[in-house]
Amino acid sequence: MNSLLTSGEPVEVSLTHTWRFSAGKPDNRDINVADADIEVYANGRFIENLVYDPGDADDKNSRQPVYRGQFVPSPDDQIELRAHHPSYGEAFASVVMPRPVPITKVTPDIEFTNCLPSSYINTYTLKTGFITEFTDPGETDNYYTVEVSVKNPKPIPSDVLVTIWPDNTQKYVDYTGNYQFDRIDFEREPIFSEHLSNIDHLLDSSAWGYSFFSDQQINGKSYPLQIHLIDCLYYVLNPKHIESLYHSEIIISLGSISADYYKYMLSMWKVNSGFEGELGNNGLADPIFIYSNVSTGAGIVAARSVSKYTVDLSDYVRDLPYQDFNPTK
């Protein structure tokens, strides 16, 4: 049983059954349990039975099947999930919804470095970073994770016909403004590496891909989190200077997460990237098991409350020099 409960969003649960390792890892759809009874309790009171949503069974690239509900958890709610199935038995877990920790200030550091010529659209390279400040409440042990997402404006159709190389096909292009990045640079923020031991550092283990951390170094203090993005590009074709196309948004999300979620992520890191996991994977030490707070010992029921801060790029991109066709460096 797996669920990431988010304050302000309806409950969703994924439920699968075990499988034989010798048979090879199956697709999740093949081990999904579709006919279980899943009950939701909040603060000791029964709330609802979840309803199974199969998704698109014919498209394995579509979202996975889940059980859905109408109930929306709030901070401080204690949520318990109980799953029952006549063949597979029972599974249950509980978690307390954490309180959100607001982002108090964001200082952007955005610098356009180059414009790459192309046949019709202008591609800019740029550096993107943010000093993201927040204050840890300090009353209890707190755990966090950071995510960055992008929301770009909808392209606008044009009457411009261009020839596309190398097929020499023709198509009408859209006027557009589009920001993209590859990933967070986890090496630039020291707190992402707080869980690495001295031997992990010695053997070049890293926090790459994991943006979770605790308040053990910042308990009750304000902290300027350094978020730098890698491989940032901005695509623009806006010869008419349409204002709506300038409003690409970078959204910084600070998640206050449950202790169980932190322990789960820490165990994932140890297995995939840590020194202990490397030894275990090579048969030189006892294996590390993925943390679970579910009664069956498989799965995680975690919780988070998210604070968001949006940076609008319009003031940075509105006056870029090349927004028309066929730019030059």
Side-chain angles (χ1 to χ4, degrees), residues 193-206:
S193 301
E194 67 171 14
H195 56 279
L196 272 68
S197 67
N198 289 336
I199 196 167
D200 284 318
H201 285 290
L202 184 64
L203 298 177
D204 290 329
S205 296
S206 74

Side-chain angles (χ1 to χ4, degrees), residues 32-68:
N32 194 67
V33 178
D35 55 348
D37 178 30
I38 301 182
E39 301 171 337
V40 179
Y41 292 78
N43 305 313
R45 181 171 62 90
F46 172 75
I47 300 297
E48 63 180 346
N49 287 95
L50 301 183
V51 177
Y52 182 69
D53 179 357
D56 187 347
D58 297 325
D59 182 6
K60 290 196 174 184
N61 293 320
S62 70
R63 58 178 172 75
Q64 295 294 320
V66 293
Y67 288 81
R68 300 182 187 277

Side-chain angles (χ1 to χ4, degrees), residues 163-170:
T163 301
I164 306 299
W165 184 88
D167 300 325
N168 292 325
T169 56
Q170 290 190 315

